[in-house]
Amino acid sequence: MDIQKIREDFPILKREINGYPLVYFDNAATSQTPKQVMDCIVDYYSNYNANIHRGVHTLSQEATDLYEASRKKIQAHFNAKKDYEIIFTSGTTHSINLVANGFSALLKEGDELIVSALEHHSNIVPWQMLCERTGAVLKVIPMDENGELKMDVYSELLSDKTKLVFCNHISNALGVINPIEEIIAKAHAVGAAVLIDGAQACPHIKPDVQALDVDFYVASAHKMCGPTGVGMLYGKEEWLKKLPPYQGGGEMIAEVTFEKTTYADLPHKFEAGTPNICGGIAFGAAIDYMNNIGFDAILAYENELLKYGTEKLNEIEGLKIYGVSDKKASVISFNIEGIHPYDIGTIVDKLGVAVRTGHHCAQPIMDFFKIPGTVRASFAFYNTKEEIDVLVAAVKKASMMLS
Ligand SMILES: *Cc1c(COP(=O)(O)O)cnc(C)c1O
């Protein structure tokens, strides 16, 4: 992997922040966009902009072809059996809400749902809302001090009352990779369906939904070099057929009269209204871009960055890393004893380093560790060890100033 050449693809990496070269370590919140994806967006609006699935005119057909070709690209990337098992959404949050809403019709009082303790709020709140609507009960797989799920407790929580299990593939707050193969197999053994939140995994690995035998898998384009406001839901055909539509409107109908409306076939049943057409096409371009580099190379390089960053940060006095599993993505969540994470984030920003501070939309994890939040540095394949050196020096400086 030629990192310097790859960095040329990302114009924003040439920016200066407060007089220093930008060091962008907030990749777990959103990734940067390569010019190949920007070119795709400009090309779409310059040459193909039209509404899809409706017009007989050439432009509309070309836009439709590009959009549907992108769906096929996503299908191939995730190894879905059918292209209509891929639903375009506005992102992970939308995808989860779509499934949670659909399950309103399938649950009854006393049914049980299981969530992991490591979830992003967007994989907690929609399910709590579902429980309020249906009288279903939410159970939690606890975690240990290392940020790993207690799988023995998970086994005890499962029963024939369990209807659905949801868990992220990789935790956005700690970077821990969850044992989703085991989670899926055990859920299926009691007849429960599983939704995996892949928002944080897809920037690093290429999931195979058939090999995983997962029922639903969701992701956002903007965390994997694509634009914001677009994402995907993979659902097994049998499940997508069972779930009622989420939103009503244009595009999702077969026939409408004031007496009765019948719904369109998959995937259109779940795609009401004019979608983010350009975003959907650019999502495909982002997947092409990442596959051209190769996920094996990306993961191997990011693991090097993770190892290097972990070693260097651990040399700082009073620094504690949360999530110390040996199965981790390139995310380091840490605090320095006696210093508020926000103060560290503010000082390193003055030196050009972008990290995230706070609860990372995962307050239950922070409550578990009894902390207000962490500083989170998350690395992508376009980052370098030299940038990690800049981070470490900046954190040392912040630590000196604040203690
Ligand atoms: C970012 C993230 C989400 C939410 O994604 P949106 O694009 O904001 O909808 C959900 N889960 C995890 C694990 C995430 O990292």
Side-chain angles (χ1 to χ4, degrees):
M1 237 166 80
D2 183 345
I3 302 302
Q4 285 318 316
K5 190 161 159 283
I6 286 172
R7 287 177 68 84
E8 291 293 315
D9 294 336
F10 293 83
I12 206 169
L13 298 178
K14 294 201 174 68
R15 259 210 70 176
E16 292 197 343
I17 302 288
N18 298 319
Y20 292 90
L22 166 67
V23 172
Y24 187 76
F25 284 159
D26 196 16
N27 294 288
T30 200
S31 55
Q32 292 303 343
T33 315
K35 59 177 192 281
Q36 288 82 345
V37 172
M38 297 182 205
D39 289 348
C40 169
I41 293 167
V42 171
D43 183 45
Y44 171 77
Y45 281 112
S46 306
N47 296 303
Y48 302 103
N49 185 31
N51 211 333
I52 53 170
H53 298 141
R54 297 173 193 199
V56 292
H57 62 82
T58 305
L59 213 50
S60 170
Q61 281 172 9
E62 287 179 357
T64 304
D65 289 347
L66 286 171
Y67 193 65
E68 291 305 322
S70 185
R71 192 192 307 275
K72 285 202 157 60
K73 238 175 237 179
I74 297 168
Q75 174 203 356
H77 181 74
F78 288 93
N79 194 30
K81 211 182 280 176
K82 303 278 168 40
D83 59 357
Y84 52 76
E85 291 176 318
I86 302 294
I87 311 294
F88 279 114
T89 64
S90 70
T92 301
T93 304
H94 176 192
S95 302
I96 295 172
N97 277 280
L98 189 162
V99 176
N101 185 76
F103 266 86
S104 299
L106 306 179
L107 294 183
K108 57 179 191 312
E109 203 168 328
D111 283 344
E112 294 181 357
L113 313 180
I114 297 180
V115 63
S116 102
L118 281 168
E119 296 313 297
H120 189 283
H121 294 162
S122 69
N123 205 19
I124 302 174
V125 183
W127 305 112
Q128 289 175 323
M129 291 162 70
L130 172 64
C131 287
E132 271 173 32
R133 287 195 297 272
T134 59
V137 181
L138 192 61
K139 307 255 167 168
V140 184
I141 315 169
M143 63 191 233
D144 65 17
E145 281 292 322
N146 292 336
E148 293 185 334
L149 293 176
K150 293 188 175 171
M151 294 300 284
D152 50 334
V153 181
Y154 172 55
S155 297
E156 287 163 17
L157 290 175
L158 285 163
S159 76
D160 56 5
K161 286 190 195 151
T162 313
K163 295 295 176 266
L164 247 182
V165 177
F166 24 94
C167 178
N168 55 37
H169 195 163
I170 297 182
S171 155
N172 65 303
L174 306 180
V176 174
I177 303 172
N178 289 312
I180 61 165
E181 291 84 355
E182 188 184 341
I183 287 173
I184 294 165
K186 286 191 166 151
H188 284 171
V190 298
V194 180
L195 178 142
I196 297 294
D197 170 355
Q200 211 55 242
C202 292
H204 311 290
I205 56 181
K206 186 175 162 168
D208 179 329
V209 293
Q210 287 190 71
L212 287 168
D213 193 28
V214 67
D215 303 286
F216 302 99
Y217 195 98
V218 300
S220 297
H222 72 94
K223 290 185 178 169
M224 45 190 305
C225 296
T228 54
V230 64
M232 54 79 77
L233 159 67
Y234 159 79
K236 275 186 190 162
E237 178 174 4
E238 58 189 275
W239 277 113
L240 292 179
K241 284 198 164 143
K242 237 183 270 181
L243 293 187
Y246 180 39
Q247 290 177 322
E251 286 280 326
M252 55 76 73
I253 50 88
E255 216 173 336
V256 176
T257 67
F258 281 109
E259 286 68 45
K260 185 172 171 52
T261 290
T262 51
Y263 304 127
D265 289 335
L266 293 172
H268 308 294
K269 172 178 144 187
F270 292 110
E271 295 183 350
T274 302
N276 182 350
I277 302 167
C278 177
I281 296 166
F283 189 1
I287 282 179
D288 281 344
Y289 178 79
M290 293 196 76
N291 278 318
N292 278 338
I293 296 174
F295 278 86
D296 290 343
I298 287 173
L299 191 61
Y301 178 67
E302 288 175 345
N303 279 339
E304 255 179 67
L305 293 179
L306 174 66
K307 188 161 169 280
Y308 185 76
T310 305
E311 277 167 20
K312 290 286 165 185
L313 283 167
N314 266 330
E315 286 169 10
I316 298 174
E317 209 178 294
L319 188 142
K320 177 179 157 85
I321 292 176
Y322 299 90
V324 289
S325 171
D326 55 3
K327 295 180 203 72
K328 260 186 77 171
S330 49
V331 173
I332 305 180
S333 220
F334 64 91
N335 273 330
I336 296 178
E337 211 185 329
I339 304 179
H340 198 283
Y342 179 83
D343 295 333
I344 297 174
T346 307
I347 290 180
V348 301
D349 176 62
K350 296 261 185 296
L351 301 166
V353 182
V355 291
R356 175 124 318 210
T357 64
H359 55 59
H360 318 300
C361 296
Q363 275 180 357
I365 301 180
M366 304 304 136
D367 292 346
F368 174 84
F369 288 115
K370 300 189 173 58
I371 50 177
T374 67
V375 181
R376 183 185 68 187
S378 48
F379 312 135
F381 57 91
Y382 42 75
N383 289 129
T384 64
K385 287 185 184 169
E386 291 72 32
E387 289 180 306
I388 293 176
D389 291 338
V390 174
L391 165 74
V392 171
V395 172
K396 277 186 184 156
K397 188 164 179 186
S399 171
M400 257 162 24
M401 287 169 66
L402 295 164
S403 51

PDB file of all heavy atoms in Angstrom, residues 28 91-94 120 122 168 170 172 197 199-200 220 222-223, ligand 1:
ATOM      1  N   ALA A  28     -13.984   7.385  13.044  1.00  0.00           N
ATOM      2  CA  ALA A  28     -15.122   6.584  13.499  1.00  0.00           C
ATOM      3  C   ALA A  28     -16.413   7.404  13.501  1.00  0.00           C
ATOM      4  O   ALA A  28     -17.505   6.854  13.544  1.00  0.00           O
ATOM      5  CB  ALA A  28     -14.850   6.017  14.893  1.00  0.00           C
ATOM      6  N   GLY A  91     -29.097   5.936   6.130  1.00  0.00           N
ATOM      7  CA  GLY A  91     -27.949   5.587   6.962  1.00  0.00           C
ATOM      8  C   GLY A  91     -28.334   4.524   7.981  1.00  0.00           C
ATOM      9  O   GLY A  91     -29.471   4.027   8.001  1.00  0.00           O
ATOM     10  N   THR A  92     -27.380   4.186   8.823  1.00  0.00           N
ATOM     11  CA  THR A  92     -27.579   3.132   9.826  1.00  0.00           C
ATOM     12  C   THR A  92     -28.802   3.404  10.703  1.00  0.00           C
ATOM     13  O   THR A  92     -29.618   2.515  10.957  1.00  0.00           O
ATOM     14  CB  THR A  92     -26.314   3.050  10.709  1.00  0.00           C
ATOM     15  OG1 THR A  92     -25.206   2.755   9.857  1.00  0.00           O
ATOM     16  CG2 THR A  92     -26.435   1.974  11.770  1.00  0.00           C
ATOM     17  N   THR A  93     -28.928   4.639  11.166  1.00  0.00           N
ATOM     18  CA  THR A  93     -30.038   4.995  12.058  1.00  0.00           C
ATOM     19  C   THR A  93     -31.380   4.721  11.388  1.00  0.00           C
ATOM     20  O   THR A  93     -32.281   4.124  11.971  1.00  0.00           O
ATOM     21  CB  THR A  93     -29.933   6.487  12.451  1.00  0.00           C
ATOM     22  OG1 THR A  93     -28.647   6.703  13.036  1.00  0.00           O
ATOM     23  CG2 THR A  93     -31.023   6.886  13.413  1.00  0.00           C
ATOM     24  N   HIS A  94     -31.498   5.156  10.141  1.00  0.00           N
ATOM     25  CA  HIS A  94     -32.728   4.931   9.375  1.00  0.00           C
ATOM     26  C   HIS A  94     -32.969   3.432   9.192  1.00  0.00           C
ATOM     27  O   HIS A  94     -34.097   2.946   9.372  1.00  0.00           O
ATOM     28  CB  HIS A  94     -32.590   5.657   8.030  1.00  0.00           C
ATOM     29  CG  HIS A  94     -33.726   5.468   7.077  1.00  0.00           C
ATOM     30  ND1 HIS A  94     -33.653   5.846   5.766  1.00  0.00           N
ATOM     31  CD2 HIS A  94     -34.950   4.913   7.224  1.00  0.00           C
ATOM     32  CE1 HIS A  94     -34.791   5.544   5.149  1.00  0.00           C
ATOM     33  NE2 HIS A  94     -35.599   4.977   6.011  1.00  0.00           N
ATOM     34  N   HIS A 120     -24.317   1.670  20.231  1.00  0.00           N
ATOM     35  CA  HIS A 120     -24.562   3.065  19.882  1.00  0.00           C
ATOM     36  C   HIS A 120     -26.031   3.355  20.201  1.00  0.00           C
ATOM     37  O   HIS A 120     -26.875   2.466  20.063  1.00  0.00           O
ATOM     38  CB  HIS A 120     -24.313   3.186  18.378  1.00  0.00           C
ATOM     39  CG  HIS A 120     -24.311   4.584  17.835  1.00  0.00           C
ATOM     40  ND1 HIS A 120     -25.459   5.297  17.619  1.00  0.00           N
ATOM     41  CD2 HIS A 120     -23.287   5.376  17.426  1.00  0.00           C
ATOM     42  CE1 HIS A 120     -25.144   6.479  17.099  1.00  0.00           C
ATOM     43  NE2 HIS A 120     -23.835   6.555  16.975  1.00  0.00           N
ATOM     44  N   SER A 122     -28.228   4.611  18.563  1.00  0.00           N
ATOM     45  CA  SER A 122     -29.158   4.329  17.461  1.00  0.00           C
ATOM     46  C   SER A 122     -29.512   2.846  17.393  1.00  0.00           C
ATOM     47  O   SER A 122     -30.457   2.472  16.706  1.00  0.00           O
ATOM     48  CB  SER A 122     -28.600   4.822  16.125  1.00  0.00           C
ATOM     49  OG  SER A 122     -27.499   4.051  15.743  1.00  0.00           O
ATOM     50  N   ASN A 168     -23.703  -4.528  17.705  1.00  0.00           N
ATOM     51  CA  ASN A 168     -22.836  -4.005  16.650  1.00  0.00           C
ATOM     52  C   ASN A 168     -21.697  -4.981  16.363  1.00  0.00           C
ATOM     53  O   ASN A 168     -21.324  -5.785  17.205  1.00  0.00           O
ATOM     54  CB  ASN A 168     -22.348  -2.578  16.926  1.00  0.00           C
ATOM     55  CG  ASN A 168     -21.657  -2.409  18.251  1.00  0.00           C
ATOM     56  OD1 ASN A 168     -20.933  -3.305  18.684  1.00  0.00           O
ATOM     57  ND2 ASN A 168     -21.838  -1.273  18.888  1.00  0.00           N
ATOM     58  N   ILE A 170     -18.642  -4.012  15.355  1.00  0.00           N
ATOM     59  CA  ILE A 170     -17.505  -3.407  16.053  1.00  0.00           C
ATOM     60  C   ILE A 170     -18.028  -2.208  16.841  1.00  0.00           C
ATOM     61  O   ILE A 170     -18.795  -1.408  16.306  1.00  0.00           O
ATOM     62  CB  ILE A 170     -16.410  -2.972  15.060  1.00  0.00           C
ATOM     63  CG1 ILE A 170     -15.836  -4.203  14.329  1.00  0.00           C
ATOM     64  CG2 ILE A 170     -15.314  -2.179  15.760  1.00  0.00           C
ATOM     65  CD1 ILE A 170     -14.710  -3.907  13.356  1.00  0.00           C
ATOM     66  N   ASN A 172     -18.290   1.350  18.300  1.00  0.00           N
ATOM     67  CA  ASN A 172     -17.750   2.649  17.895  1.00  0.00           C
ATOM     68  C   ASN A 172     -17.033   3.339  19.051  1.00  0.00           C
ATOM     69  O   ASN A 172     -16.108   4.113  18.840  1.00  0.00           O
ATOM     70  CB  ASN A 172     -18.857   3.553  17.357  1.00  0.00           C
ATOM     71  CG  ASN A 172     -19.874   3.922  18.420  1.00  0.00           C
ATOM     72  OD1 ASN A 172     -20.483   3.042  19.026  1.00  0.00           O
ATOM     73  ND2 ASN A 172     -20.036   5.201  18.667  1.00  0.00           N
ATOM     74  N   ASP A 197     -25.349  -4.255  13.511  1.00  0.00           N
ATOM     75  CA  ASP A 197     -25.025  -2.875  13.154  1.00  0.00           C
ATOM     76  C   ASP A 197     -23.565  -2.861  12.696  1.00  0.00           C
ATOM     77  O   ASP A 197     -22.648  -2.954  13.517  1.00  0.00           O
ATOM     78  CB  ASP A 197     -25.253  -1.993  14.383  1.00  0.00           C
ATOM     79  CG  ASP A 197     -24.730  -0.581  14.207  1.00  0.00           C
ATOM     80  OD1 ASP A 197     -24.100  -0.299  13.168  1.00  0.00           O
ATOM     81  OD2 ASP A 197     -24.939   0.224  15.121  1.00  0.00           O
ATOM     82  N   ALA A 199     -22.026  -0.385  11.086  1.00  0.00           N
ATOM     83  CA  ALA A 199     -21.553   0.973  10.765  1.00  0.00           C
ATOM     84  C   ALA A 199     -20.052   1.125  11.000  1.00  0.00           C
ATOM     85  O   ALA A 199     -19.346   1.781  10.230  1.00  0.00           O
ATOM     86  CB  ALA A 199     -22.313   2.008  11.586  1.00  0.00           C
ATOM     87  N   GLN A 200     -19.573   0.496  12.057  1.00  0.00           N
ATOM     88  CA  GLN A 200     -18.183   0.700  12.456  1.00  0.00           C
ATOM     89  C   GLN A 200     -17.268  -0.393  11.890  1.00  0.00           C
ATOM     90  O   GLN A 200     -16.051  -0.260  11.928  1.00  0.00           O
ATOM     91  CB  GLN A 200     -18.123   0.701  13.987  1.00  0.00           C
ATOM     92  CG  GLN A 200     -17.056   1.555  14.592  1.00  0.00           C
ATOM     93  CD  GLN A 200     -17.110   2.995  14.133  1.00  0.00           C
ATOM     94  OE1 GLN A 200     -16.147   3.451  13.526  1.00  0.00           O
ATOM     95  NE2 GLN A 200     -18.182   3.709  14.383  1.00  0.00           N
ATOM     96  N   SER A 220     -23.612   2.671   7.099  1.00  0.00           N
ATOM     97  CA  SER A 220     -23.689   4.035   6.554  1.00  0.00           C
ATOM     98  C   SER A 220     -22.549   4.246   5.570  1.00  0.00           C
ATOM     99  O   SER A 220     -21.416   3.856   5.842  1.00  0.00           O
ATOM    100  CB  SER A 220     -23.532   5.075   7.672  1.00  0.00           C
ATOM    101  OG  SER A 220     -24.576   4.998   8.603  1.00  0.00           O
ATOM    102  N   HIS A 222     -21.121   7.089   4.840  1.00  0.00           N
ATOM    103  CA  HIS A 222     -20.171   8.159   5.203  1.00  0.00           C
ATOM    104  C   HIS A 222     -19.037   7.689   6.110  1.00  0.00           C
ATOM    105  O   HIS A 222     -18.091   8.427   6.349  1.00  0.00           O
ATOM    106  CB  HIS A 222     -20.912   9.341   5.850  1.00  0.00           C
ATOM    107  CG  HIS A 222     -21.429   9.083   7.226  1.00  0.00           C
ATOM    108  ND1 HIS A 222     -20.721   9.410   8.347  1.00  0.00           N
ATOM    109  CD2 HIS A 222     -22.578   8.528   7.667  1.00  0.00           C
ATOM    110  CE1 HIS A 222     -21.426   9.072   9.421  1.00  0.00           C
ATOM    111  NE2 HIS A 222     -22.559   8.534   9.028  1.00  0.00           N
ATOM    112  N   LYS A 223     -19.126   6.473   6.635  1.00  0.00           N
ATOM    113  CA  LYS A 223     -18.016   5.962   7.441  1.00  0.00           C
ATOM    114  C   LYS A 223     -17.072   5.114   6.610  1.00  0.00           C
ATOM    115  O   LYS A 223     -16.095   4.589   7.112  1.00  0.00           O
ATOM    116  CB  LYS A 223     -18.557   5.175   8.631  1.00  0.00           C
ATOM    117  CG  LYS A 223     -19.226   6.117   9.633  1.00  0.00           C
ATOM    118  CD  LYS A 223     -19.684   5.445  10.876  1.00  0.00           C
ATOM    119  CE  LYS A 223     -20.291   6.495  11.804  1.00  0.00           C
ATOM    120  NZ  LYS A 223     -20.995   5.902  12.933  1.00  0.00           N
TER     121      LYS A 223
HETATM  122  C1  LIG B   1     -22.083   5.912  13.452  1.00  0.00           C
HETATM  123  C2  LIG B   1     -22.759   4.750  14.027  1.00  0.00           C
HETATM  124  C3  LIG B   1     -24.149   4.646  14.001  1.00  0.00           C
HETATM  125  C4  LIG B   1     -25.042   5.709  13.433  1.00  0.00           C
HETATM  126  O1  LIG B   1     -24.799   5.937  12.082  1.00  0.00           O
HETATM  127  P1  LIG B   1     -25.510   7.143  11.315  1.00  0.00           P
HETATM  128  O2  LIG B   1     -24.773   7.228  10.039  1.00  0.00           O
HETATM  129  O3  LIG B   1     -25.348   8.350  12.198  1.00  0.00           O
HETATM  130  O4  LIG B   1     -26.934   6.771  11.155  1.00  0.00           O
HETATM  131  C5  LIG B   1     -24.713   3.502  14.539  1.00  0.00           C
HETATM  132  N1  LIG B   1     -23.958   2.527  15.067  1.00  0.00           N
HETATM  133  C6  LIG B   1     -22.624   2.598  15.103  1.00  0.00           C
HETATM  134  C7  LIG B   1     -21.836   1.459  15.677  1.00  0.00           C
HETATM  135  C8  LIG B   1     -21.972   3.713  14.585  1.00  0.00           C
HETATM  136  O5  LIG B   1     -20.646   3.781  14.626  1.00  0.00           O
END
